[in-house]
Amino acid sequence: MLRRLRTPILINLFLRVFGGLQTIRLKRASQHPRLASERTLREILKISKDTVYGKEHHFEEILAAPTDEELFALYQHLVPANDFEALRPYVERHKNGETNVLFPGRPVMYATTSGTTAQPKWVPMTHKYLKDVYGKMSHVWTWNFVKHRRLAMAGHLFPIVGKECEGHAPDGTLYGSVSGVLVRDLPNLIKRRYTAPVSVMSIEDYAARNYTLMRLAVQYWDVTIWATANPSTILELQRAVDENLDTLIDDIEHGTLSDRFNIAPKIREELKAYMRPRPDRANELRKIRDTHDGRILPKYYWPKLKILSTWKCGNTKVYMEKYLDYFDLDKTFYQELGYIATECRFGFSLDETNESVMFPHLHYYEFVAEEELDSPNKHFLQLDELEYGHRYCAYVTTYSGLFRYNMNDLIEVGGKFENTPTIHMVSKINGIVSLTGEKLYEPQFIDAVKQAEKESGIKTTFFVGFADVDQSVYHFYFEFEDPETTEATANEFAVLVDKKLCAINIEYASKRDSFRLQPPIAHRLIKNAYARFKAACLEEGMRDGQFKFNQLMQDEKRRGKFQVLVVGDIISEVRSNVITRLNQNDERVKKRLTRKERRYLRRAARQTRQMGRKQEMLYRIETRRRERQKRREARDANSN
């Protein structure tokens, strides 16, 4: 049957008018980024000058600055750079009903996400911020889709959004997902094109939720937009199709939702309005299945897909590469979703590149160069001072009470939109790791290990965690206080740490429950693993004073250094021991060689001989070097 999409004249006209007007506004601001930055900062400070935070940080005095340069300098001098923990006391006052704390009045909602402690972040959202940044700029974003693909809004739309309402603050203000709230408030002209209501996101069981999303979406042949932040979500949703294909086709044919899945009766009742028997579509899906070796893919069941939008920067590209053949990218425009976080919508992409266009008329931005990240006296740069190809840490001031807020992200500068630099995300910094959006913080990992030690009675002398992007799994390396700790005990300890992380970080728990994160893998480290690791780093030329260490990392090179320190690998243990000794050129360290260590070296040598001449040679080289060093020391002592 020949089917074609019809141009959605009313929707395209709406987007052309409202999206076009906001695009003009964005372009004008981007032509003069420094002027736009000054105006935006002045307006934010003016709005909040009579609030608790504004009075404490002298916003009135800052506003008296006659020039942009003095304004920026005074703002940096009087307002500290913040993380969320610095702002949390002010947010708590808002949550408990106090007004005029960070901004006039009270927030209309809180966007929730995990924080650096066990407490999640409650990011306040004002009406102005939602209306301007999420509302008006969304018109630009969707109008851009239509410019790239005229029929982008002609079919059904399949965005993956968060849960609209997860609860209420003590003062009654709702908290939940910004995307869920925006979908809730969409005009019916657009909302009725969505494949599913937002209530689907309230299904507690992730397998049931994923199946329901795809059951409601695959029943339509004309899905034209698929948007989801995490590329890993696409893999999970396609897996729901693969594992339940016959059930899905049967449900589509009969207009049902299988009883195999745990879905609350209230939600099931609501979803009945979104389903009706579609025997023709079911037969079409069976033909696709039989033609393509029993598997159906988006390029087959959604032949009219016009827009695919996900994150494509940073470590997300690893997931992206796993499903590129799911789509016909000659027909489907695959666009970077943009630099978006719970705290703010920092920017979005408007073309085929991964670069995000920023909004200088809606945010005030600051940046610190990568090489100054550890400096106690950081030099903050303005938006117009960024250089192409350079990397920076981003800070933002918003209309929602975030002042000089450290995004803790490493970004890289690309080309320009008008006269304003564009950026793209490179990675998290300072001990924050995210494989599928869970934002696991180093303090959370440390806290989880400490809680596991307290509960189990098992003690560690050192531990470190690494994120493995390729496998969507964390590797936990433990050096236990008891050297006789077994592999089984180590695995049980890792399970307990995993359980504690789920309790501490709501998003980590979410990704574990949805199988986007695999169970962590435990590794036992040999004695003095940290000292041996540091010695290897110093051998490569790093100065002792520059040596820094995070206990949670995404760094395969460093993980490789720990991998050779795992218990049970005698070759690696001897090799590591040799490397350590070869790098002990400090006279003070040499004098610390004890009889016990020498016995250990002899025992290691015996083990090495059993494993071949190559390993034995390593020991002999080390021993000879140590003897030569002692002879040189003796000669030096005699000559003195």
Side-chain angles (χ1 to χ4, degrees):
M1 183 174 77
L2 180 63
R3 294 177 296 197
R4 58 187 294 270
L5 297 171
R6 295 183 179 181
T7 303
I9 297 174
L10 287 179
I11 294 178
N12 283 4
L13 179 61
F14 172 86
L15 292 174
R16 183 181 183 89
V17 172
F18 292 96
L21 287 174
Q22 294 305 322
T23 300
I24 292 172
R25 186 183 176 202
L26 173 62
K27 286 184 175 181
R28 286 178 177 172
S30 299
Q31 288 170 358
H32 308 284
R34 192 173 186 88
L35 177 61
S37 296
E38 180 191 3
R39 287 176 175 173
T40 302
L41 180 58
R42 285 189 185 276
E43 185 176 4
I44 293 173
L45 297 180
K46 185 177 179 180
I47 288 173
S48 296
K49 65 183 177 64
D50 294 322
T51 63
V52 172
Y53 193 88
K55 291 177 180 178
E56 288 180 358
H57 294 86
H58 312 286
F59 283 8
E60 192 81 58
E61 180 182 340
I62 299 171
L63 285 166
T67 66
D68 59 356
E69 187 173 346
E70 291 175 272
L71 177 75
F72 300 149
L74 264 178
Y75 187 54
Q76 292 177 16
H77 177 66
L78 294 174
V79 181
N82 290 303
D83 59 13
F84 191 81
E85 295 311 312
L87 296 173
R88 188 185 292 278
Y90 300 95
V91 175
E92 289 297 317
R93 292 170 69 172
H94 271 300
K95 284 170 58 180
N96 286 286
E98 190 172 345
T99 60
N100 305 321
V101 181
L102 288 168
F103 40 76
R106 55 193 287 185
V108 296
M109 70 165 294
Y110 294 95
T112 50
T113 184
S114 60
T116 55
T117 67
Q119 299 183 69
K121 297 178 186 176
W122 289 55
V123 181
M125 292 287 162
T126 62
H127 174 73
K128 177 176 177 59
Y129 194 78
L130 287 177
K131 181 185 72 174
D132 287 349
V133 178
Y134 284 98
K136 293 177 180 178
M137 298 314 291
S138 290
H139 295 156
V140 177
W141 190 54
T142 48
W143 169 234
N144 179 68
F145 285 166
V146 174
K147 287 193 293 183
H148 286 293
R149 294 290 189 274
R150 179 175 57 87
L151 299 176
M153 305 294 290
H156 281 84
L157 314 178
F158 186 36
I160 308 297
V161 300
K163 190 177 179 181
E164 166 204 349
C165 179
E166 297 178 357
H168 293 83
D171 70 341
T173 304
L174 76 84
Y175 65 89
S177 162
V178 174
S179 60
V181 170
L182 293 176
V183 170
R184 180 199 65 188
D185 297 335
L186 280 174
N188 287 330
L189 182 67
I190 295 177
K191 191 189 299 186
R192 68 188 181 192
R193 291 179 177 269
Y194 277 38
T195 60
V198 293
S199 59
V200 173
M201 303 310 294
S202 297
I203 298 174
E204 297 295 336
D205 184 273
Y206 279 92
R209 182 190 302 180
N210 287 344
Y211 175 80
T212 303
L213 283 169
M214 295 308 287
R215 183 262 174 268
L216 295 174
V218 175
Q219 68 180 332
Y220 300 109
W221 64 271
D222 64 342
V223 169
T224 50
I225 293 179
W226 191 1
T228 179
N230 284 305
S232 60
T233 301
I234 291 179
L235 295 172
E236 290 301 316
L237 291 176
Q238 180 58 38
R239 186 170 74 177
V241 173
D242 293 339
E243 294 178 353
N244 303 283
L245 183 54
D246 292 337
T247 302
L248 182 142
I249 293 175
D250 187 67
D251 274 344
I252 291 173
E253 181 173 26
H254 297 97
T256 56
L257 181 58
S258 176
D259 292 333
R260 288 174 45 205
F261 299 97
N262 182 21
I263 301 171
K266 182 179 179 180
I267 297 176
R268 281 187 177 274
E269 188 63 29
E270 181 182 352
L271 294 180
K272 286 181 179 179
Y274 292 82
M275 300 179 292
R276 63 178 177 82
R278 298 176 184 271
D280 291 344
R281 177 60 170 165
N283 289 332
E284 182 180 18
L285 294 173
R286 289 190 182 99
K287 290 179 181 178
I288 295 174
R289 177 195 62 190
D290 296 340
T291 305
H292 297 92
D293 300 323
R295 192 183 191 200
I296 66 174
L297 295 173
K299 61 184 175 183
Y300 303 131
Y301 53 78
W302 290 331
K304 301 296 183 181
L305 188 66
K306 302 298 180 184
I307 301 289
L308 176 65
S309 185
T310 71
W311 284 328
K312 297 164 64 178
C313 297
N315 58 36
T316 61
K317 62 185 179 182
V318 175
Y319 301 100
M320 179 186 72
E321 292 167 354
K322 295 179 180 179
Y323 61 66
L324 287 180
D325 62 345
Y326 291 7
F327 302 91
D328 184 349
L329 297 182
D330 291 331
K331 297 179 180 178
T332 301
F333 183 67
Y334 187 16
Q335 187 174 63
E336 159 69 30
L337 189 68
Y339 184 8
I340 301 173
T342 304
E343 292 84 349
C344 70
R345 191 172 192 173
F346 204 92
F348 51 47
S349 179
L350 294 177
D351 56 24
E352 68 281 355
T353 72
N354 291 342
E355 307 301 334
S356 287
V357 173
M358 292 181 281
F359 319 142
H361 59 311
L362 298 175
H363 295 117
Y364 172 63
Y365 303 101
E366 296 173 90
F367 302 88
V368 173
E370 182 180 17
E371 55 270 21
E372 289 190 24
L373 291 180
D374 296 321
S375 171
N377 300 307
K378 296 179 175 61
H379 178 215
F380 288 86
L381 301 172
Q382 303 304 314
L383 183 56
D384 62 302
E385 297 175 313
L386 302 185
E387 297 183 33
Y388 177 82
H390 287 222
R391 293 182 173 184
Y392 305 88
C393 179
Y395 293 73
V396 67
T397 296
T398 75
Y399 286 96
S400 276
L402 298 184
F403 299 101
R404 307 198 69 209
Y405 183 81
N406 183 358
M407 297 295 292
N408 221 347
D409 292 328
L410 190 65
I411 57 95
E412 185 173 311
V413 177
K416 290 188 175 182
F417 176 78
E418 301 297 329
N419 294 317
T420 300
T422 60
I423 61 164
H424 66 266
M425 171 80 165
V426 176
S427 67
K428 302 299 295 184
I429 55 179
N430 296 337
I432 305 177
V433 176
S434 187
L435 292 177
T436 64
E438 70 277 9
K439 287 187 181 177
L440 188 60
Y441 292 73
E442 183 181 36
Q444 293 176 335
F445 175 58
I446 295 171
D447 189 24
V449 174
K450 295 303 180 184
Q451 288 186 35
E453 287 183 330
K454 185 176 181 180
E455 182 172 321
S456 66
I458 299 171
K459 300 296 183 182
T460 65
T461 56
F462 172 74
F463 58 89
V464 62
F466 288 93
D468 185 339
V469 178
D470 290 332
Q471 303 299 322
S472 289
V473 69
Y474 284 88
H475 293 267
F476 296 160
Y477 293 80
F478 303 109
E479 183 182 333
F480 292 100
E481 193 174 89
D482 179 4
E484 302 302 319
T485 300
T486 64
E487 183 177 355
T489 302
N491 290 332
E492 292 172 0
F493 187 78
V495 169
L496 187 55
V497 172
D498 181 49
K499 178 182 176 182
K500 299 301 180 183
L501 284 174
C502 287
I504 291 170
N505 184 318
I506 55 176
E507 292 183 359
Y508 178 89
S510 169
K511 303 308 184 292
R512 285 285 290 109
D513 288 343
S514 63
F515 309 111
R516 279 179 277 183
L517 277 179
Q518 302 303 313
I521 300 173
H523 306 270
R524 293 173 298 154
L525 293 171
I526 62 175
K527 185 179 179 181
N528 298 324
Y530 176 79
R532 297 166 192 253
F533 165 76
K534 183 176 180 180
C537 292
L538 297 180
E539 182 197 18
E540 294 177 352
M542 182 181 292
R543 294 199 297 274
D544 197 18
Q546 293 179 327
F547 185 81
K548 298 180 179 67
F549 185 79
N550 289 332
Q551 286 184 275
L552 183 66
M553 291 177 273
Q554 181 183 312
D555 188 327
E556 284 301 299
K557 183 177 180 181
R558 287 195 168 196
R559 187 165 83 88
K561 288 184 171 66
F562 279 104
Q563 195 60 40
V564 302
L565 300 173
V566 171
V567 170
D569 189 343
I570 300 300
I571 300 176
S572 298
E573 185 171 340
V574 174
R575 182 186 297 115
S576 174
N577 185 67
V578 171
I579 291 174
T580 301
R581 297 300 183 272
L582 290 176
N583 283 278
Q584 289 178 333
N585 296 319
D586 190 313
E587 181 68 26
R588 180 177 56 85
V589 175
K590 292 192 186 79
K591 292 180 179 179
R592 292 180 180 176
L593 287 174
T594 64
R595 182 178 302 173
K596 183 178 180 180
E597 288 175 314
R598 288 195 293 271
R599 285 200 303 269
Y600 173 80
L601 286 174
R602 287 195 294 270
R603 185 168 63 253
R606 287 194 299 271
Q607 295 170 332
T608 300
R609 284 195 293 272
Q610 296 173 2
M611 304 180 73
R613 293 181 178 179
K614 185 175 181 179
Q615 283 70 42
E616 184 178 7
M617 187 176 299
L618 289 173
Y619 173 76
R620 289 177 177 175
I621 290 173
E622 190 277 335
T623 303
R624 291 169 183 169
R625 178 175 288 244
R626 183 164 57 85
E627 292 175 351
R628 287 196 299 269
Q629 184 65 30
K630 285 185 177 180
R631 287 196 295 270
R632 283 197 296 269
E633 290 173 357
R635 286 197 300 270
D636 291 343
N638 291 333
S639 62
N640 290 332

